């Protein structure tokens, strides 16, 4: 919208000042909107699968000393 307002201002300076005023209002409104736009949007992607939370691949030990099946589709423990 900012780029559209500049030719409108120029057209208004040549033919009618009303177009220049409309272009000036559009210029100020688009600059104001552009200035209020957040510089960092957390919902946008950043082009990679980088994550801040790093998870270990090994399961945490069971306090009772028993091992649990942690993977889906893994065979049950012997004697179970």
């Amino acid at each position: 919208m900012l780029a559209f307002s500049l030719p409108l201002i120029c057209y208004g300076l040549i033919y009618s000042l009303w177009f220049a005023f409309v272009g000036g209002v559009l210029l100020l409104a688009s600059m104001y909107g552009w200035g209020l736009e957040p510089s960092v949007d957390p919902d946008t992607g950043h082009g990679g699968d980088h994550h801040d939370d790093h998870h270990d691949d090994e399961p945490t030990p069971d306090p009772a000393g028993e091992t649990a099946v942690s993977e889906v589709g893994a065979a049950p423990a012997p004697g179970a």
Side-chain angles (χ1 to χ4, degrees):
M1 294 304 293
L2 182 77
F4 178 71
S5 66
L6 296 176
L8 192 61
I9 292 172
C10 293
Y11 183 82
L13 290 176
I14 294 171
Y15 294 106
S16 174
L17 286 180
W18 289 109
F19 287 118
F21 290 133
V22 171
V25 168
L26 185 62
L27 175 78
L28 292 176
S30 61
M31 285 175 36
Y32 183 73
W34 194 3
L36 289 180
E37 183 177 345
S39 62
V40 178
D41 190 7
D43 294 333
T44 60
H46 51 79
D49 290 334
H50 306 291
H51 300 286
D52 290 340
D53 52 346
H54 298 286
H55 299 287
D56 294 332
D57 291 338
E58 298 180 24
T60 57
D62 191 14
E66 300 175 5
T67 57
V69 177
S70 62
E71 296 182 16
V72 177

